[in-house]
């Protein structure tokens, strides 16, 4: 600060303050001016300090006079510097040594009134890596803008400057994200004429936008890709392939998609912002790369030239609520990187629909944190629906290009590619992950994992994006030809045997695609009947809507047709498998594979929508079987409730989840609902009985299968809307909310649903019924001793399987199910001993083909064993245990009614045993 300037200024200020007596000002106005002056009197060498980098800050202050230094008080955010302490994990509090200290204590500069000091900002958590979960949950509370202030203790005069304290310089909160994108866009628009389009893909459950930006040469480039290039690529890839090969395709662009789905893996968001900033504003971007020998060189991207070839797509985070709440999961407790195939969460629906729309050539999903700087492709086993021979070579080359750029521009010295460096355990069998989902759309899909949460990881992640971009620019024609060849195989129905060499067992033996007795792994068609052949018309329609949303062609028959002795009437849905993305369609519709010989798997691999969601589907292998009798549809036609006769009471068949939702709505409205206690004309024991007026009130909101009540039938009235306590995953609460149950505390509940093994023995002893799901619950129930002669066994709680089972159809709790059902379990468990007097509900089939799909080493021990039973304990509470999983990731919709029956028909079951009248006595429990 110029000292000579200061004297006349303060003289002016003194005169102004005297005049202000005659011209009074509001206090806040005066304070504002004084503060503005004060802020001019402190300067710092930096204005941002970091939690992940040690930094020094040179500070200069000037009060206009030489004040004894001991009379100056230094604070940061209204706290003395020595009160800013490092985090002590053993105390679980900030009780360590101060991390803001003087590297050079305050001292006057020569004979001036300027004081100079140097502050050390050390690492608040004692590490430059904030990735460990115990730290990751803490640091958001420290992020902020703080006043670095020096106060004259006697006069109270304060000099201050605002300092940002951040994770690293580029870290943005969700609230800062959109303003930053707007600022970048505004600056880019002022500098060049690149096309930038922002839109929200949709909103999260808490109402936050999923920010999405398209960056391209111009609007025409985007329109040409979406309306010309991609439609031809999907419909007639051979034509476009020929044009690329003979050089007549002309100018064209291909999309590169940058993505984040776990927003607490923070670099995945902030690296995209930095990439967007560079690619939208800069003319040239120069960065380093390193070859396999570690020799570094420079690459310069001319951005205008790049935009002649690529369109950049930024999905800054799939999960905005997670960014706000600093969680991996969304607000419902779902890991969205396990939901891309299932699409039970609205955030997943919005994002996957956009991926399907673009079919990007290159897809980067940005993650952390594993010990390696990891870039996919993956270890085996690989999903057999990939055209893996086409994808692998270029995915490996692009992974190396990303890793070399990431290493050369950060402190990391190496990177790992699971396909080359791991044996197993990092597989791409399930399309639940975003990058793997993208591969089914023809993308080079990579999950990228940085090792730590820090500045260096941010640098590494930004440069993986630049490395990937440069790889696409250098190889665009070859990469596009590979994608076109992938689409061409689909359109022509080719099952290329080159894929087989990549499909191996744990021993490395080539097993190829499991074709059974068929020549082609893929059928000619999948058929979804919508008449008597269909056991769940609502779920079949939902599947059609799902396929259309994900870019799969679906047709509907315009007349009746007989195929292989089966008559499919007009209105039957048909999925022709000769289409570009037939791999995606097959991945969600085929039964799946048995990969139980593998030693390790990363996550559950069964997708199989027909069995897990409970609708009928048929394979047709006759070529052109539906030619000229089916036409393409653009939306699903959902079934509606048909009420044919004018009767006083109707039976709502307990055959779909729509029935459960309708019944819960009526019960919560205080309407009377009964249950059939025996089979009747066109309905079964366990079906619901309601008055015509009530049926008419709900029939348009749900798809219900109804028949008039036989006046001779015996029914029993349900006592009212049950109150349910939920112990377990977010999926449990989400599903029960979906089904319309009232969720309450264990103290108020009629029924407790437990998916984690937190057995409430006191509530059970007081008469509250208990439904336990999965192996961990079986283990806890056994340890609790509440059931005599109960026992179970397991292999490993991470094992999963889709199994054929036999159902006890005489039980209320299995109402609506057939004698044979395919059901799913995820905790590798079965029941070996059932309590005396218990009612067995489900048994694993004792047949050679009992196992349908999954990863379950030791599964043979479950063959023929009990999978569910119900019993009544001394208090009158029903205890129902399922070894199978009824709620897994809100995808096992076919099993929901087993849970709903155990809740809704709890009282009916009990009264049949003669105990219903006594339930709740002595407990003071509210009756429903």
């Amino acid at each position: 600060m110029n000292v000579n300037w200061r004297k006349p200024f303060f003289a002016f200020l003194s005169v102004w303050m005297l005049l202000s007596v005659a011209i009074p000002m509001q206090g806040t106005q005066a304070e504002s001016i004084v503060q503005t002056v004060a802020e001019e009197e402190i300067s710092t060498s930096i204005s941002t300090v970091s939690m992940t980098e040690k930094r020094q800050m040179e500070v200069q202050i000037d009060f206009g006079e030489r004040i004894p230094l001991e009379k100056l008080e230094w604070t940061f955010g209204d706290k003395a510097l020595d009160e800013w302490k490092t985090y002590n994990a053993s105390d679980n509090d900030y009780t360590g040594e101060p991390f803001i200290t003087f590297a050079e204590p305050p001292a006057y500069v020569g004979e001036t009134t300027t004081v100079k000091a140097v502050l050390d900002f050390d690492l608040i958590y004692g590490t430059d890596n904030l990735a460990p979960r115990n730290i990751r949950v803490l640091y958001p509370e420290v992020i902020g803008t703080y006043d670095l202030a020096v106060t004259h203790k006697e006069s109270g005069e304060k000099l201050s400057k605002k300092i940002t304290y951040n994770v690293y310089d580029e870290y943005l909160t969700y609230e800062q994200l959109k303003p930053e994108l707007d600022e970048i866009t505004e600056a880019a628009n002022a500098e060049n004429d690149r096309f930038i389009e922002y839109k929200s893909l949709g909103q999260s459950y808490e109402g936050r936008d999923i920010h999405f930006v398209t960056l391209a040469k111009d609007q025409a480039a985007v329109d040409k890709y979406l309306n010309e290039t991609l439609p031809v690529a999907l419909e007639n890839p051979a034509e476009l392939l020929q044009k690329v090969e003979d050089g007549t395709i002309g100018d064209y662009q291909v999309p590169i998609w940058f993505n984040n789905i776990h927003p607490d893996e923070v670099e995945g968001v902030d690296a995209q912002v930095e990439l967007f900033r560079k690619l939208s504003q800069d003319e040239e971007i120069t960065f380093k790369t390193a070859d396999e020998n570690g020799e570094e060189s420079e690459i310069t991207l001319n951005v205008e030239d790049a935009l002649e070839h690529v369109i950049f797509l930024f999905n800054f985070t799939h999960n905005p609520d997670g960014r706000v709440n600093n969680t991996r999961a969304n607000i419902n407790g779902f890991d969205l990187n396990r939901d891309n195939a299932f699409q039970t969460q609205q955030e997943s629906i919005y994002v996957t629909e956009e991926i399907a729309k673009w079919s990007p050539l290159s897809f980067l999903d940005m993650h952390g944190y594993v010990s390696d700087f990891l870039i996919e492709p993956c270890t085996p086993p690989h999903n057999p629906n990939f055209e893996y021979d086409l994808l692998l070579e270029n995915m490996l080359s692009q992974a190396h290009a990303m890793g070399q750029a990431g290493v050369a521009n950060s402190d990391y010295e190496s990177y790992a590619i699971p396909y080359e460096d791991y044996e197993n355990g990092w597989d791409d069998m399930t399309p639940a992950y975003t990058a793997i989902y993208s591969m089914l759309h023809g993308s080079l899909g990579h999950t990228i994992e940085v090792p730590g949460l820090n500045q260096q990881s941010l640098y590494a992640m930004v440069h993986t994006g630049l490395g990937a971009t440069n790889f696409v620019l250098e190889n665009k024609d070859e990469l596009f030809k590979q994608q076109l060849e992938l689409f061409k195989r689909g359109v022509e129905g080719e099952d290329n045997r080159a894929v087989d060499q990549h499909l191996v067992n744990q021993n490395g033996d080539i097993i190829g695609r499991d074709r059974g007795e068929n020549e082609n792994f893929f059928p000619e068609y999948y058929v979804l009947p919508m008449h008597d052949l269909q056991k769940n018309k609502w779920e079949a329609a939902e599947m059609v809507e799902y396929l259309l949303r994900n870019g799969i062609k679906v047709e509907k028959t315009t007349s009746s047709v007989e195929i292989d002795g089966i008559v499919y009437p007009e209105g039957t849905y048909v999925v022709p498998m000769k289409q570009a993305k037939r791999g995606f369609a097959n991945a969600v519709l085929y039964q799946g594979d048995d990969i139980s010989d593998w030693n390790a798997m990363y996550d559950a691999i069964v997708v199989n929508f027909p069995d897990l969601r409970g609708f009928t589907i048929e394979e047709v292998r006759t070529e052109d079987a539906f030619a000229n009798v089916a036409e393409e549809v653009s939306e699903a036609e959902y079934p509606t409730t048909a009420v044919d006769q004018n009767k006083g009471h109707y039976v709502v068949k307990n055959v779909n989840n729509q029935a459960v939702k309708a019944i819960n709505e009526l019960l919560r409205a205080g309407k009377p609902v009964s249950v059939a206690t025996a089979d009747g004309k066109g309905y079964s024991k366990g079906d619901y009985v309601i008055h015509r007026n009530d049926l008419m009130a709900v029939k348009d909101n749900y798809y219900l299968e109804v028949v008039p009540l036989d006046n001779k039938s015996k029914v029993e009235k349900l006592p009212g809307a049950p109150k349910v306590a939920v112990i377990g995953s977010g999926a449990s609460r989400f599903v029960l909310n979906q089904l319309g149950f009232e969720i309450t505390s264990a103290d108020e509940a009629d029924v407790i649903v437990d998916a984690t093994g937190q057995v409430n023995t006191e509530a059970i002893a007081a008469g509250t019924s208990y439904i336990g799901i999965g192996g961990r619950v079986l283990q806890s129930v056994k340890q609790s001793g509440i059931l005599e002669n109960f026992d179970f066994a397991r292999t490993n709680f991470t094992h999963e399987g889709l199994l054929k089972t036999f159902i006890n159809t005489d039980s209320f709790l299995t109402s609506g199910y057939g004698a044979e059902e395919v059901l799913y379990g995820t905790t590798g468990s079965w029941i070996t001993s059932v309590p005396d007097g218990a009612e067995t509900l489900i048994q694993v089939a004792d047949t050679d083909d009992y196992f349908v799909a999954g990863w379950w080493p030791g599964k043979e021990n479950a063959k023929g064993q009990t999978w569910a039973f119900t019993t009544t304990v001394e208090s009158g509470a029903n205890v129902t245990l399922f070894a199978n999983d009824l709620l897994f990731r809100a995808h096992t919709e076919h099993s929901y009614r087993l849970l709903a029956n155990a809740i809704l028909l709890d009282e009916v079951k009990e009264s049949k045993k003669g105990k219903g009248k006594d339930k709740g006595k002595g407990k003071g429990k509210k009756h429903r």
Side-chain angles (χ1 to χ4, degrees):
M1 191 70 66
N2 189 316
V3 178
N4 293 330
W5 170 87
R6 294 177 46 77
K7 291 180 181 179
F9 177 83
F10 276 103
F12 163 79
L13 183 62
S14 300
V15 173
W16 177 86
M17 291 178 70
L18 288 171
L19 289 173
S20 68
V21 176
I23 310 173
M25 297 181 65
Q26 297 294 323
T28 53
Q29 291 177 298
E31 288 169 7
S32 175
I33 292 176
V34 172
Q35 180 64 20
T36 301
V37 172
E39 285 183 350
E40 291 293 327
E41 308 312 313
I42 185 166
S43 64
T44 60
S45 58
I46 58 174
S47 58
T48 299
V49 288
S50 170
M51 300 180 203
T52 57
E53 281 191 335
K54 296 181 180 182
R55 292 188 180 172
Q56 284 193 338
M57 175 191 292
E58 183 178 302
V59 184
Q60 291 192 34
I61 59 171
D62 197 329
F63 281 91
E65 59 179 318
R66 292 178 70 93
I67 302 168
L69 295 175
E70 65 273 13
K71 293 185 179 181
L72 298 180
E73 181 182 44
W74 293 69
T75 58
F76 187 67
D78 296 326
K79 288 168 56 176
L81 301 186
D82 60 6
E83 292 180 24
W84 286 91
K85 306 237 177 123
T86 55
Y87 183 75
N88 187 327
S90 60
D91 293 342
N92 195 27
D93 203 355
Y94 297 89
T95 57
E97 294 297 315
F99 68 89
I100 307 177
T101 57
F102 285 107
E104 295 180 15
Y108 281 103
V109 179
E111 300 300 318
T112 69
T113 56
T114 300
V115 176
K116 177 183 175 183
V118 176
L119 288 175
D120 259 344
F121 285 81
D122 210 329
L123 302 176
I124 185 173
Y125 296 104
T127 176
D128 66 357
N129 178 13
L130 307 190
R133 173 53 57 183
N134 66 320
I135 298 176
R136 223 187 313 172
V137 298
L138 297 173
Y139 71 76
E141 67 189 20
V142 189
I143 296 171
T145 300
Y146 299 90
D147 282 336
L148 175 64
V150 183
T151 304
H152 188 322
K153 294 179 183 178
E154 293 181 351
S155 69
E157 184 180 358
K158 178 188 290 188
L159 308 181
S160 68
K161 180 177 180 179
K162 294 192 179 300
I163 302 295
T164 300
Y165 190 37
N166 211 347
V167 177
Y168 45 73
D169 292 355
E170 297 83 357
Y171 179 89
L172 297 170
T173 64
Y174 176 81
E175 290 76 12
Q176 293 170 323
L177 185 54
K178 182 58 165 56
E180 186 74 11
L181 299 180
D182 291 341
E183 185 177 313
I184 293 170
T185 300
E186 184 177 350
N189 289 338
E191 295 172 9
N192 55 62
D193 58 355
R194 294 166 194 167
F195 174 77
I196 300 174
E197 181 181 60
Y198 167 86
K199 70 174 180 179
S200 170
L201 295 184
Q203 292 190 321
S204 67
Y205 283 95
E206 288 191 323
R208 297 184 178 91
D209 288 317
I210 300 172
H211 301 310
F212 186 82
V213 167
T214 302
L215 169 63
K217 172 187 174 182
D218 49 33
Q219 177 75 62
V222 173
D223 293 342
K224 181 178 180 180
Y225 175 77
L226 289 175
N227 301 324
E228 298 178 31
T229 306
L230 183 59
V232 176
L234 296 175
E235 292 297 326
N236 195 349
E239 174 188 322
L240 208 53
L241 185 59
Q242 185 61 48
K243 287 183 177 180
V244 178
E245 289 178 341
D246 62 23
T248 60
I249 188 173
D251 295 335
Y252 71 99
Q253 288 79 32
V254 293
I256 300 175
W257 181 303
F258 301 107
N259 199 73
N260 168 264
I261 195 167
H262 291 154
D264 65 328
E265 296 163 8
V266 295
E267 292 85 357
V269 180
D270 300 312
Q272 287 190 69
V273 176
E274 292 308 302
L275 284 165
F276 174 49
R277 188 192 314 278
K278 292 175 181 293
L279 292 167
S280 64
Q281 295 179 2
D282 295 355
E283 293 185 8
E284 289 186 343
I285 302 171
T286 299
F287 62 97
K288 293 182 291 184
T289 187
D291 63 20
E292 60 273 12
N293 299 316
E295 294 293 324
E296 290 190 355
S297 59
E298 283 192 347
I299 294 173
T300 298
L301 291 179
N302 182 298
V303 180
E304 295 291 345
D305 288 347
L307 290 172
E308 295 290 335
H309 300 282
V310 297
I311 297 168
F312 295 103
L313 307 172
F314 301 91
N315 182 35
F316 294 94
T317 185
H318 195 129
N319 180 9
D321 295 346
R323 186 67 166 188
V324 172
N325 298 305
N326 192 37
T327 57
R328 175 187 181 95
N330 75 343
I331 198 64
N332 293 327
F334 284 75
D335 181 341
L336 298 180
N337 204 37
R338 304 296 184 272
D339 192 50
N340 287 288
F342 300 157
Q343 297 174 22
T344 70
Q345 302 299 288
Q346 65 189 37
E347 296 97 336
S348 301
I349 291 171
Y350 300 138
V351 173
T352 53
E353 185 171 12
E354 195 72 14
I355 294 171
K357 166 187 165 182
W358 283 95
S359 302
L361 183 67
S362 181
F363 189 98
L364 279 64
D365 201 27
M366 298 177 166
H367 287 259
Y369 302 97
V370 297
S371 57
D372 291 316
F373 175 20
L374 180 150
I375 307 171
E376 290 176 346
C378 298
T379 68
H382 309 298
N383 193 305
N385 293 288
F386 299 142
E387 303 300 320
Y388 211 74
D389 62 305
L390 295 177
L391 293 167
L392 177 60
E393 182 178 349
N394 285 317
M395 283 183 65
L396 281 171
S397 297
Q398 189 175 34
H400 281 294
M402 288 190 280
Q404 290 162 1
V407 165
N409 295 277
S410 71
D411 285 350
Y412 296 127
E413 297 179 352
S414 63
Y415 60 92
I417 297 176
Y419 183 89
E420 295 181 339
D421 300 318
Y422 295 5
E423 290 184 7
N424 55 33
W426 197 281
D427 58 275
D428 52 10
M429 188 67 184
T430 174
Y433 318 123
T434 328
I436 309 308
Y437 171 87
S438 78
M439 290 169 66
L440 291 170
H441 291 280
S443 305
L444 303 177
H446 302 272
T447 294
I448 305 163
E449 299 272 356
V450 288
L453 196 168
N454 52 34
Q455 188 75 59
Q456 294 303 315
S457 286
L458 186 282
Y459 296 152
M461 192 70 90
V462 168
H463 288 89
T464 61
L466 295 174
T469 298
N470 188 61
F471 179 80
V472 172
L473 293 172
E474 290 183 343
N475 301 278
K476 185 184 77 167
D477 283 352
E478 178 190 343
L479 299 179
F480 192 44
K481 285 194 293 183
Q482 164 235 289
Q483 189 180 49
L484 290 170
E485 181 62 37
L486 185 151
F487 293 154
K488 178 173 173 284
R489 286 184 186 177
V491 169
E492 296 179 358
E494 178 187 356
D495 178 7
N496 195 300
R497 264 50 178 182
V499 174
D500 286 0
Q501 64 180 308
H502 300 286
L503 305 179
V504 299
N505 62 19
Q506 178 66 75
N507 295 326
D509 304 321
I510 295 174
I511 57 174
R513 286 170 166 163
D514 183 6
R515 298 177 179 85
E517 298 178 354
N518 302 303
E519 179 67 21
N520 197 315
F521 176 65
F522 303 97
E524 291 288 326
Y525 302 91
Y526 281 106
V527 180
L528 287 81
M530 289 302 287
H531 294 75
D532 293 343
L533 292 174
Q534 182 56 255
K535 66 181 179 182
N536 194 325
K537 296 175 186 176
W538 183 266
E539 289 295 344
E542 287 276 87
M543 189 73 232
V544 170
E545 186 64 29
Y546 171 98
L547 291 169
L548 293 171
R549 190 175 68 239
N550 285 273
I552 303 301
K553 184 186 300 183
V554 181
E555 299 175 345
K556 182 188 281 190
T557 58
T558 55
S559 61
S560 178
V561 59
E562 182 176 344
I563 309 291
D564 299 329
I566 301 175
V567 176
Y568 297 106
E570 179 183 349
T572 297
Y573 285 112
V574 176
V575 183
M577 291 298 283
K578 286 184 178 176
Q579 59 175 299
K581 297 184 182 181
R582 57 93 189 268
F584 179 90
N586 207 61
V588 297
L589 293 175
Y590 89 129
Q591 71 173 19
D593 292 279
D594 179 2
I595 56 169
S596 299
D597 66 310
W598 284 86
N599 296 332
M601 292 292 296
Y602 196 81
D603 197 49
I605 60 101
V606 177
V607 176
N608 191 325
F609 274 69
D611 283 330
L612 292 179
R613 299 200 175 178
F615 58 90
T616 305
I617 196 165
E618 301 285 348
E619 286 188 12
V620 170
R621 292 186 172 270
T622 303
E623 190 172 4
D624 296 330
F626 291 93
N628 304 317
V629 295
E631 59 184 16
E632 191 171 346
V633 299
S634 59
E635 61 182 4
E637 182 179 346
Y638 284 84
T640 57
T641 305
V643 183
D644 297 330
Q645 302 180 43
N646 189 6
K647 297 290 184 180
H649 285 82
Y650 284 81
V651 176
V652 177
K653 295 183 180 181
N654 189 4
V655 293
N656 61 29
N657 297 330
Q658 294 279 295
V660 177
K661 295 177 183 181
I663 294 305
N664 272 329
E665 181 178 324
L666 292 174
L667 287 172
R668 293 182 73 167
K671 304 298 183 182
V673 177
S674 299
V675 63
T677 58
D679 293 352
K681 189 176 180 180
Y683 55 89
S684 303
K685 171 183 175 180
D687 287 341
Y688 300 104
V689 179
I690 61 176
H691 193 275
R692 174 184 170 79
N693 291 343
D694 297 328
L695 171 61
M696 299 307 289
V698 298
K699 77 176 185 66
D700 293 334
N701 298 329
Y702 308 98
Y703 168 59
L704 308 175
E705 295 188 18
V706 300
V707 295
L709 176 67
D710 183 341
N711 292 331
K712 296 181 180 180
S713 292
K714 293 183 179 180
V715 301
E716 181 167 336
K717 185 179 178 181
L718 296 181
K723 295 181 179 180
V724 184
V726 180
I727 303 171
S729 65
S732 304
R733 181 174 292 271
F734 180 78
V735 169
L736 287 165
N737 271 322
Q738 272 192 322
L739 294 176
F741 286 102
E742 180 182 354
I743 297 177
T744 187
S745 66
D747 291 340
E748 295 293 323
D750 301 299
V751 183
I752 295 173
V753 175
D754 179 10
T756 61
Q758 302 177 55
V759 181
N760 190 327
T761 55
E762 292 183 1
I764 296 169
T768 303
S769 290
Y770 175 84
I771 302 168
I773 302 167
R776 291 176 178 84
V777 168
L778 301 183
Q779 178 173 269
S780 296
V781 169
K782 178 182 176 181
Q783 292 171 349
S784 73
I786 62 171
L787 297 179
E788 292 184 8
N789 299 322
F790 162 71
D791 207 349
F792 87 109
R794 66 180 176 94
T795 49
N796 190 294
F797 285 150
T798 61
H799 292 158
E800 63 154 352
L802 189 62
L803 278 60
K804 293 183 178 180
T805 65
F806 295 133
I807 307 296
N808 172 11
T809 57
D810 191 43
S811 172
F812 282 104
L813 274 61
T814 57
S815 172
Y817 289 88
E820 298 180 11
E821 296 282 358
V822 177
L823 298 175
Y824 181 67
T826 55
T827 54
S829 303
W830 60 92
I831 295 160
T832 58
S833 179
V834 174
D836 295 341
E839 181 180 33
T840 297
L841 302 173
I842 305 170
Q843 283 189 301
V844 177
D846 191 12
T847 57
D848 291 341
D849 62 348
Y850 74 102
F851 194 80
V852 177
W855 176 61
W856 193 344
K859 62 184 182 294
E860 60 276 3
N861 295 305
K863 182 178 177 181
Q865 298 286 346
T866 298
W867 242 19
F869 71 86
T870 186
T871 190
T872 305
V873 297
E874 186 176 354
S875 66
N878 290 329
V879 175
T880 305
L881 299 182
F882 294 91
N884 53 311
D885 198 318
L886 310 184
L887 306 169
F888 183 69
R889 295 177 181 167
H891 176 50
T892 54
E893 295 191 8
H894 184 47
S895 297
Y896 287 3
R897 284 177 294 115
L898 290 169
L899 177 58
N901 290 346
I903 297 171
L904 288 168
L905 305 181
D906 171 61
E907 295 279 357
V908 180
K909 168 186 175 290
E910 186 174 296
S911 67
K912 299 300 103 181
K913 290 175 177 267
K915 295 188 178 180
K917 295 180 181 179
D918 297 327
K919 181 172 180 181
K921 285 188 177 181
K923 183 181 177 183
K925 179 174 179 175
K926 293 180 180 178
H927 199 54
R928 303 176 194 158

